[in-house]
Amino acid sequence: EYYCATYDGILFNIDTKDGRIRWKAKTGDDTDASPVVSGDFVYAAAEEKAPHLYCFARKDGREIWRYTDNKVAWYSTPAVVNDRIYIGGDDKNLHCVDARTGKAIWKFKTGEPVWTSPCVVDDKVVFGSRDANLYILDAKDGRELWRYKADGRFLSTPCIVGGTIWIGTASGWFYCFGA
C-alpha cells in the first residue's frame, strides 16, 4: 500500500502492485505533510482551508476523528508513538494528541510557527521552530527539558542517529548535537 496526499485536499491509498486507487479521503486543503500509517489508521493534516489533523481507517479511508485547534494550519508531519501524536502547528505550538480519540493532551508554546516534523526518542520530543530554537520536551507532559538558540529558523526535521541530533537552519548552518 502507498499513501499520499495532494494540493487539492485528497488522501490516496494506492495498491503498489497494480497502481490502482484503493480509496480516496478528503482532507479539504493542501496537505504538505506526509501521511503517517500506524496500525489500522492513517493520520494526515491539512492547511488553512481545512485546518485539521485527521485520523482515517486504513482499510477503507473512513474518517474516524479530526482534531482542530483554533484553525491551525499544519505543515509538520506527525510523529505517532505510544498512542500519541506529536505535530507542529502554524499557531506556534507543538501539539500532543491522543491517537485513539483525537483529544488534546498538551501543547507547548514556541515563539514562531513549528513547521519541522518532530522526532520522538527515549520519551523525548525533539523539534525545531521558526523562532530559531531547537527544543527537547518530555513526551509525557510537554515540559521543556532543553533548548538551543541557533543562527536561523528551523524548517527541516531533525535526524537522530545513535543519540546524535543533526539538523540544518534556513540560514545555511548545519548543527550536530551529541549525547
Side-chain angles (χ1 to χ4, degrees):
E1 293 177 284
Y2 175 73
Y3 298 88
C4 64
T6 63
Y7 179 79
D8 57 354
I10 305 291
L11 172 66
F12 290 90
N13 174 314
I14 299 171
D15 189 311
T16 57
K17 292 179 182 143
D18 61 15
R20 176 181 57 86
I21 296 173
R22 295 182 64 222
W23 53 257
K24 294 191 266 186
K26 291 185 178 183
T27 62
D29 195 12
D30 185 7
T31 306
D32 286 348
S34 301
V36 175
V37 177
S38 181
D40 294 332
F41 304 103
V42 180
Y43 302 95
E47 294 179 17
E48 293 89 0
K49 293 179 193 168
H52 312 293
L53 168 62
Y54 296 92
C55 174
F56 296 103
R58 187 172 175 185
K59 179 174 86 171
D60 58 12
R62 177 178 40 90
E63 184 179 314
I64 304 298
W65 55 255
R66 70 174 68 178
Y67 170 73
T68 305
D69 187 72
N70 296 323
K71 298 189 177 191
V72 175
W74 308 99
Y75 299 92
S76 170
T77 295
V80 183
V81 179
N82 297 329
D83 290 327
R84 289 184 173 201
I85 300 170
Y86 304 90
I87 186 169
D90 205 39
D91 66 340
K92 305 177 185 178
N93 282 291
L94 185 85
H95 296 252
C96 178
V97 177
D98 188 305
R100 296 164 299 192
T101 66
K103 304 290 183 205
I105 296 173
W106 54 257
K107 288 193 294 188
F108 177 82
K109 188 76 169 164
T110 66
E112 292 294 329
V114 180
W115 287 7
T116 70
S117 301
C119 294
V120 182
V121 177
D122 296 333
D123 293 322
K124 294 172 184 62
V125 184
V126 181
F127 69 99
S129 172
R130 290 177 60 102
D131 67 4
N133 284 300
L134 180 66
Y135 296 92
I136 298 178
L137 308 180
D138 184 296
K140 292 179 187 124
D141 58 18
R143 184 174 34 93
E144 183 177 323
L145 301 174
W146 179 86
R147 106 169 46 178
Y148 178 82
K149 182 71 170 182
D151 68 324
R153 63 187 183 199
F154 288 102
L155 301 175
S156 65
T157 298
C159 177
I160 304 171
V161 179
T164 301
I165 302 168
W166 303 86
I167 189 167
T169 65
S171 62
W173 283 91
F174 195 71
Y175 290 87
C176 175
F177 299 94

